[in-house]
């Protein structure tokens, strides 16, 4: 059994057995030779002639003797030639120079001729005994085409009947029997074949004309054609008949699931190959950056725990690729969509080392790569249509009774393949194919804690990324890490390392900005550590993480140049803080080039990097929320999961959580009028929400006890803290607030999340940010529709 019993049913394996010739008479062993023949579909001759017996048939003895004499002369010539001669064309000259040895050559030829003559009179050896012959399908190398089986009455030979015996021929067109003739004459006259062993008893067989139940169950049939077959022309098909008897008339029902299971096993093996090949090794790093290093993948344990819902890899693959009679891939497709977006965002971040794309550019690029048309074409490119489970598909046996042509004992035949007749790849819509691609990415993500399988699968898909913008190797996943369990290795990308140094320098040398951002950074780290499910102090203290967080907190308009507020240039303010930062971040990797970039771009460079952080944070938050909903509501439909995702991901909700968690107090710009107006709206929503909570024993649904049960906490000090939101909007609102009030706040929230992802990994980010979202993820889809079904977010999902 594999990964436990599939669907709680026993899994059986049938293998052919044979008697052990070297053990007791009752001992048996696995017939490995037969298994190899079945696997390669290699035919087996019934008579195995000894030595050169089959090479010198009686009809062509004179020709073969002449061939043997000529071959012997050639061999003797090579033998007589000087072995130091390097040119093979010298053998004839050497042979003529040694004609004095002709008597020896004649004796050598006579000896070999005597050996061939002696071997030709030896009896043949049967490869299968008569009892096992009943368990095989037979073919003829000469004579009638088709498949034959030994007669149903169990007899394998006709007593006292050989090729010289007289047999009645088949009726002619008028229904009259022709004159009786022997098989020897028949095969010589009609098939130009001289039987070598005419004295061997012929086999009495029935011809299989169609695959009916009586053929499989050894039942006799009065209209079955009887054929007398010379044993020396018989070849055996590799698969024993007993293998078909096990299945009986249910063969078609059994073989389709069996072949699909084999196909899924192949896909599982292929994904394991991708895991080993793309285990986040920097294979192209030496080409791009002159650095030779290997990235040790860090697994994402907390976020991915229990994500497989107790299902095996094969079960998830089957679920992800089953289209009919019941589609089972939609829930995985919901998760896979978020996985695809997140990995593409990491890929584009890795490509954007020169910071030439802002948030709008990155958004346009990712939309091209993830549309249905692109994913549909990519799925056909990798042959995904062959993996789809389509109900009503038909299976056809490879043992076709209408076999034509001559049979060679060593010629392999084509084995059976999956033959789906109901749906073809060109009949599947691009939407369906793209959904299956996303569900397959979800399976790869669930079974790859470091993201290596997903990265390898994206390489196989060859999605168009930045190729339209002239990027080299644009179809290869560029991310050196998926940042699932740890930070992104910026130190292995020179360009990115220089940009991080330049951004950090820009903020440090502007003293007024630096002091304010340092206070905000200290406050934000305290808030994140207080809410985190694990200790993040060491990770948040990393110099690179601190630079990224400071960049995310800098929400100013960025209308600056390379001159500071005090009027002094950046070069005049190079101080001990900058030198310390350079040493801790650059580590000798060319930080002065980064400083030059900083001098050219100033605070605009900070703004472009913040756009990249927002871009990564947007899709990272979407992935984490999707994972949490997928685990919290295993019975929810994809439509319900999408509704819950929308309710937790609106700008109104993100702005509210930013303000209520006090992360807003960490931002650089504390004088924003839009933020002040939103603060007023949030306080009014809190008052409206508290009135509803007071009427429901402390929480909107079932009181405090129900709330603590949902968040899985029994502590009395655990209290709900977001009375002002519900259904994706502020309490009492039927539509979203004006974007001018919420857009900047939502961008800041996502930028902070992006900085955490690149600085401490997706798992670490969700440990710090996840508790802030617990309260908005515990309401079921039905409760959302019942309580907030009239607002603009939920009204379209009824």
């Amino acid at each position: 059994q594999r990964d436990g019993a599939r669907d709680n049913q026993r899994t059986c394996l049938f293998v052919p057995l044979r008697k052990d010739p070297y053990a007791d008479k009752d001992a048996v062993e696995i017939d490995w030779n037969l298994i190899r023949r079945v696997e390669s579909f290699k035919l087996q001759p019934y008579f195995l002639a000894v030595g050169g017996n089959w090479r010198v048939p009686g009809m062509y003895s004179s020709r073969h003797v002449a061939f043997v004499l000529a071959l012997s002369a050639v061999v003797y010539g090579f033998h007589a030639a000087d072995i130091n001669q390097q040119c093979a064309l010298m053998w004839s000259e050497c042979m003529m120079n040694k004609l004095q040895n002709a008597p020896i050559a004649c004796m050598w030829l006579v000896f070999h001729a005597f050996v061939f003559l002696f071997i030709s009179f030896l009896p043949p050896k049967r490869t299968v005994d008569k009892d096992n012959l009943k368990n095989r399908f037979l073919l003829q190398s000469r004579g009638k085409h088709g498949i034959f089986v030994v007669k149903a009455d169990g007899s394998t030979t006709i007593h006292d009947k050989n090729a010289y015996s007289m047999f009645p021929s088949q009726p002619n067109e008028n229904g009259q029997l022709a004159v009786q003739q022997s098989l020897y004459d028949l095969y010589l006259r009609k098939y130009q074949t001289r039987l070598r062993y005419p004295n061997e008893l012929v086999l009495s067989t029935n011809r299989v004309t169609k695959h009916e139940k009586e053929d499989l169950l050894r039942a006799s049939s009065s209209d079955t054609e009887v054929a007398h077959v010379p044993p020396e022309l018989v070849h055996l098909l590799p698969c024993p008949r007993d293998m078909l008897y096990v299945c009986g008339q249910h063969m078609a029902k059994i073989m389709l699931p069996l072949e699909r299971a084999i196909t899924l096993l192949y896909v599982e093996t292929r994904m394991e190959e991708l895991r080993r090949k793309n285990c986040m090794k920097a294979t192209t790093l030496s080409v791009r950056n002159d650095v030779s290093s290997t990235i040790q993948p860090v697994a994402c344990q907390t976020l991915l725990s229990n994500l497989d819902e107790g299902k095996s890899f094969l079960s998830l693959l089957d679920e992800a690729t089953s289209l009919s009679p019941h589609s089972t891939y939609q829930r995985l497709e919901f998760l896979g969509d978020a996985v695809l977006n997140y990995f593409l965002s990491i890929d584009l971040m890795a490509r954007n080392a020169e910071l030439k794309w802002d948030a709008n550019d990155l958004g346009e690029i990712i939309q091209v790569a993830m549309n249905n048309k692109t994913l549909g074409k990519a799925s056909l490119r990798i042959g995904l249509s062959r993996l789809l489970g389509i109900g009503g598909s038909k299976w056809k046996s490879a043992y076709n009774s209408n076999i034509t042509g001559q049979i060679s004992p060593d010629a392999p035949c084509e084995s059976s393949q999956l033959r789906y007749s109901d749906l073809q790849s060109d009949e599947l819509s691009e939407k369906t194919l793209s959904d299956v691609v996303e569900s397959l990415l979800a399976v790869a993500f669930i079974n790859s804690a470091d993201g290596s399988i997903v990265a390898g699968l994206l390489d196989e898909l060859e999605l168009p990324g930045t190729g339209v913008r002239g990027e080299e190797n644009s179809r290869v996943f560029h991310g050196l890490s998926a940042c699932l369990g740890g930070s992104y290795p910026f130190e292995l990308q020179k360009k990115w390392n220089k940009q991080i140094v330049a951004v950090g320098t820009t903020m440090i040398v502007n003293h007024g900005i630096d002091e304010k951002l340092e206070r905000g950074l200290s406050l934000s780290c305290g808030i994140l550590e207080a809410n985190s499910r694990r200790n993040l102090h060491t990770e948040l203290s990393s110099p690179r993480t601190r630079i990224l967080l400071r960049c995310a907190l800098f929400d100013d308009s960025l209308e600056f140049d390379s001159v500071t507020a005090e009027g002094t240039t950046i070069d005049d303010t190079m101080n001990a803080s900058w030198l310390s930062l350079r040493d801790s971040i650059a580590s000798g990797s060319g930080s002065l080039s980064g400083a030059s970039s900083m001098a050219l771009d100033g605070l605009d460079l900070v703004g472009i990097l913040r756009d990249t952080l927002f871009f990564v944070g947007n899709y990272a938050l979407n992935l984490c929320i999707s994972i949490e909903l997928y685990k919290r509501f295993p019975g929810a439909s994809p439509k319900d999961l999408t509704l819950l995702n929308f309710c937790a991901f609106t700008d109104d909700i993100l702005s509210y959580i930013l303000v209520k968690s006090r992360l807003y107090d960490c931002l650089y710009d504390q004088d924003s009028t839009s933020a002040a107006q939103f603060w007023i709206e949030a306080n009014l929503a809190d008052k409206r929400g508290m009135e509803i909570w007071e009427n429901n024993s402390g929480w909107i649904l079932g009181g405090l006890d129900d709330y603590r049960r949902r968040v899985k906490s029994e502590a009395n000090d655990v209290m709900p803290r977001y009375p002002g939101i519900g259904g994706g909007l502020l309490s009492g609102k039927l539509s979203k607030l004006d974007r001018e009030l919420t857009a900047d706040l939502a961008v800041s929230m996502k930028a902070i999340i992006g900085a955490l992802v690149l600085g401490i990994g997706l798992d670490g980010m969700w440990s710090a940010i996840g508790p802030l979202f617990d309260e908005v993820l515990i309401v079921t889809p039905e409760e959302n529709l019942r309580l907030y079904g009239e607002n603009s977010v939920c009204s379209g999902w009824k």
Side-chain angles (χ1 to χ4, degrees), residues 17 28 49 73 150 197 234-235 279 315 334 361 446 515 536 569 611 621 633 642 663 731 743 761 776 783:
L17 303 176
V28 294
V150 174
Y197 306 105
V234 168
H235 292 83
C279 195
S315 297
F334 164 79
D361 295 328
I446 292 172
E515 293 177 1
L536 296 176
T569 63
D611 276 1
L621 179 61
F633 303 101
T642 305
L663 284 175
S731 294
V776 298
E783 291 167 343

Side-chain angles (χ1 to χ4, degrees), residues 59-75:
M59 182 177 178
Y60 302 107
S61 58
S62 59
R63 299 180 185 178
H64 280 74
V65 168
F67 171 75
V68 170
L69 292 176
L71 179 62
S72 300
V74 173
V75 172

Side-chain angles (χ1 to χ4, degrees), residues 13 17 30 59 117 129 139 212 328-329 345 365 385 397 399 462 467 489 506 524 560 602 608 681 749:
L13 174 66
L17 303 176
I30 296 178
M59 182 177 178
L117 183 63
D129 59 42
L139 297 174
E212 298 291 349
T328 58
Y329 64 88
S345 70
I365 297 171
S385 58
S397 172
Y399 290 92
E462 297 181 352
T506 300
S524 63
F560 295 89
I608 299 295
E681 293 287 350
M749 184 68 176

Side-chain angles (χ1 to χ4, degrees), residues 594-610:
S596 175
S597 175
M598 172 273 303
L600 292 175
D601 297 327
L603 292 175
D604 288 336
L605 190 67
V606 180
I608 299 295
L609 176 57
R610 191 170 188 265

